Structure formats: structure tokens, C-alpha cells
Amino acid sequence: MSSPDPQVRAARNQSTSPPRRGPVVAVTGAASGIGALLTERLAASDEIKQVVAIDERRGDCEQAQWHILDVRDPAIADKLRGADVVVHLALDLDLETDAAARTAYNVRGTQTVLTAAAAAGVHRVVLCTSAMVYGALPDNELPLSEDAELRATAEATGVGDLLEIERLARRAPRAHPGLNVTVARPAVLVGGTDTALTRYFESPRLLVVAGSRPAWQFCHVEDLCSALEYAVLEKAEGELAVGCDGWLEQEEVEELSGIRRMELPSTVALGAAARLHRIGLTPSPAGDLAYTMYPWVVSGSRLHDAGWRPQYTNEEVLAQLLEEVAGRHTVAGRRLGRKDATAAGAAGATVALLGAAAVVRRARKARRRI
């Protein structure tokens, strides 16, 4: 007797297997990036009953129930009915996005999701910001606890949006009694990401501001997803800092990467960064530079106390980052074509951009004298 068709056998096994227990989890931003990784992870977990995936396009996870809509649409409340937990990952932190449009999407989207979740009877919302909200400051403790004051300013890319999301997270339980909010704050995120901090390692020289004290801590996207799963399953709650254990000093980063430094006085580096951004030569504001100058390392103690451990070390994540950015050429946050980078030389591109800012400044002064 011939064996049954594999699809028929799979259908029989599925029909006889007991229904899954656990929460119904909705994930926004589920079609790409971290949202796609988390959706696949939760859909494969025996501890999750069902995954509801929400995005403006359909993703690849066949096990999820898909709803196609903008997270700012109030109709999202209907799609969240029956969900126990919502993980909101529909954020735009793209360096090239118009800042006003980015803020409108990020803040309004989070407001809508929190309100819709409360209206739909969801009992927990998990948000994801960044450890950048602690701020990069010379007097930061190493490492920072989750309860450390959020001292960041809105001067770096997207950080203003993240601070507003943090404010919404604190306010939501008061505005919607019965709604619990957990916030994950990852360190420098690596794994298919493109940020001002990952572009730092695409430069021909690592810019070091004289007198600064950098400390590098990374977070692999898979570790972030496992931390988010802990939050979904209520194994950890509150504010959760996520990252590799410990940190790397700047000298260790240079030794591991093989990229030499270019050291500049702070007035020159910060002034040039501000001018380059203001005249549109680079996407990164001067505020991004602070996160390469001073420490913002987090302890991750709440997750550790709950039994979570990162699967990757800082050294391993840095090695992956260097593989991902190999062949890319970036100076002051601006991507260069291979021809431009080759013509500029190893450090010449940086000098050229700094020089361009100085030329523009002199030209403006000359026009004011006329």
C-alpha cells in the first residue's frame, strides 16, 4: 500500500494535534525587519496560541493571520479584538526619511495602537524604543540600570520620537486602566539594520572626538526578538534594557575591526557635523555624534533576573556588523559610491566633507559682507 501524500499526512496530523495554549499576539510592522523575525518566532512557538500580523503589505509568514492596514488607522481596533498582547514594531527610523513625516508616523501610530488596544480589551502592549533614550553623557554610570533617568535630547536621529513614545508608554496605564505597557530598549542594534551607529563602521576611519570616552555595546536582532518573546509571555515586564553582556572600549573596537581612528577636536567635529547636516550633505544631525563619544551601556538586569541571556557577545555582533557593511563607504553618515570613496582615499573623504562645510561657511560670510 502506498503511503499517503505528505500534504494529506500533514493535514491529518494538524487536525489531530491538540490546540495550542497561550496568548494571542498581534504584531505591527510584521512584514519586514524585526517585526518579520518576531512574527516567525512567535508563530513557531508552542507557547503562543495565534499570531495576528499587521502591516501595510503582507509578509512571508504563512502561519500568521494577516491584516493589511496603516497602524494610524483607527480601524486597527477591530483587528486587535481577541488579542491578549500587542507588540508594536511599526516604526520608521530611516535616516533618509523626512523628519516631520517620520515623527508624524511614529508618534501617531503609537498613540493609535495604544488607544485601539485598550478599546479592544488587550491587556498588554509591548513597545520597542532604544537604549539611546538614556542619553550619551560623560557622567553616565557603566552600566546604566533600567531605572536610570532618561536624559537624552531630541537632537539625534529619531530620538525625539522615541522619547515621546516613552512618554506615551508611561501615560497609557493611567489613561487606560487595566492596560499594561512594557518597553524594550535595545543597545546598538545589528542584523540587517541601517542606522547612524551602524554606518559609523562603514567609514574609512573611525572618527574619535578628542577627550571623549566611547563604550560600545551591541544587541543582535535575534536577542532582541527573544527578549520581546519574554515580554509577550510576561516573564519580564516594565522597562527592559536589551544588549550583549558588558561593553567594548574604543581601542578594542579599533583592534577588532582593523579600522584606524581619525581624531578631531570636539569643536571641529561637532561644528562640522552640524553644518554638513544643515546644508543637506549628510543625513545625520550632530546629535548622533554624541552616541559615539560617551557611554550609554545598559545592564539588562531585569531580563537577567527573569532568566534571559543574550546568545551573542559584543565581539560576535561587531564581527557580523563588519561583514554586513563590507564594501559600503560612508563618511559623516553619508553614503558614497565606490568610485567616490576610491578617489577620496582612506581619510581624504572625511577631510573633503569637513572642507566642504568650511567652504560653505566662508561663502555665506562673504555674502553677508556684500
Side-chain angles (χ1 to χ4, degrees):
M1 181 180 294
S2 61
S3 59
D5 182 272
Q7 291 185 347
V8 174
R9 185 167 60 248
R12 288 177 182 171
N13 291 338
Q14 185 174 8
S15 63
T16 57
S17 60
R20 286 184 179 182
R21 296 181 179 181
V24 174
V25 184
V27 180
T28 69
S32 61
I34 301 164
L37 291 173
L38 182 65
T39 298
E40 291 282 358
R41 182 185 184 96
L42 296 179
S45 172
D46 292 334
E47 297 183 86
I48 304 298
K49 183 176 182 179
Q50 184 184 15
V51 179
V52 178
I54 298 173
D55 209 319
E56 293 178 54
R57 65 177 180 84
R58 185 182 177 89
D60 297 328
C61 183
E62 297 295 335
Q63 293 78 21
Q65 177 186 340
W66 285 90
H67 295 294
I68 312 303
L69 81 164
D70 190 311
V71 291
R72 295 169 292 182
D73 187 340
I76 194 173
D78 292 332
K79 313 304 180 186
L80 297 180
R81 296 195 188 281
D84 301 296
V85 184
V86 175
V87 185
H88 178 49
L89 298 174
L91 294 179
D92 180 3
L93 297 176
D94 193 313
L95 287 170
E96 312 298 339
T97 301
D98 174 75
R102 181 173 59 220
T103 297
Y105 180 80
N106 291 337
V107 176
R108 181 59 186 274
T110 303
Q111 287 176 323
T112 303
V113 167
L114 287 168
T115 302
V122 174
H123 80 271
R124 180 175 301 279
V125 174
V126 181
L127 303 176
C128 186
T129 61
S130 167
M132 294 175 77
V133 296
Y134 291 108
L137 299 159
D139 61 345
N140 274 347
E141 293 184 358
L142 275 170
L144 293 162
S145 71
E146 277 92 348
D147 293 328
E149 181 183 355
L150 306 188
R151 297 197 291 163
T153 63
E155 296 174 354
T157 304
V159 172
D161 297 357
L162 300 181
L163 288 170
E164 181 61 19
I165 290 170
E166 292 272 354
R167 189 185 70 81
L168 292 171
R170 290 191 298 272
R171 192 177 67 179
R174 298 194 297 270
H176 309 290
L179 181 66
N180 298 298
V181 180
T182 296
V183 182
R185 298 169 178 164
V188 180
L189 201 56
V190 175
T193 57
D194 178 25
T195 67
L197 294 166
T198 59
R199 288 192 182 189
Y200 178 80
F201 293 92
E202 299 177 13
S203 299
R205 291 286 186 270
L206 297 180
L207 176 61
V208 176
V209 176
S212 65
R213 184 171 63 100
W216 290 92
Q217 181 186 37
F218 300 97
C219 178
H220 196 281
V221 290
E222 291 182 11
D223 281 337
L224 175 58
C225 285
S226 70
L228 291 171
E229 185 176 12
Y230 258 65
V232 164
L233 295 173
E234 301 184 22
K235 296 178 181 179
E237 58 184 13
E239 294 77 31
L240 306 175
V242 192
C244 300
D245 291 335
W247 63 90
L248 298 174
E249 302 288 351
Q250 182 70 23
E251 291 77 13
E252 294 177 283
V253 166
E254 292 170 18
E255 182 179 354
L256 290 167
S257 67
I259 308 174
R260 288 183 291 174
R261 69 169 60 192
M262 167 180 268
E263 191 163 316
L264 294 174
S266 61
T267 53
V268 174
L270 292 169
R275 291 193 298 274
L276 290 168
H277 181 65
R278 188 166 58 248
I279 64 180
L281 282 180
T282 65
S284 296
D288 287 343
L289 196 56
Y291 290 89
T292 70
M293 294 171 60
Y294 302 117
W296 47 291
V297 171
V298 290
S299 68
S301 57
R302 286 200 180 126
L303 278 166
H304 281 67
D305 290 346
W308 179 90
R309 293 292 183 274
Q311 297 301 304
Y312 294 84
T313 66
N314 283 302
E315 291 85 351
E316 290 170 338
V317 181
L318 175 58
Q320 177 170 330
L321 173 57
L322 294 172
E323 287 182 11
E324 289 184 2
V325 303
R328 299 177 191 167
H329 306 280
T330 296
V331 172
R334 179 192 176 196
R335 285 254 170 88
L336 302 176
R338 182 179 296 274
K339 183 178 179 181
D340 295 332
T342 302
T350 302
V351 174
L353 279 178
L354 295 177
V359 168
V360 170
R361 187 182 186 186
R362 286 196 299 269
R364 286 178 174 171
K365 285 184 177 178
R367 284 198 296 270
R368 285 198 293 268
R369 294 195 195 101
I370 298 174

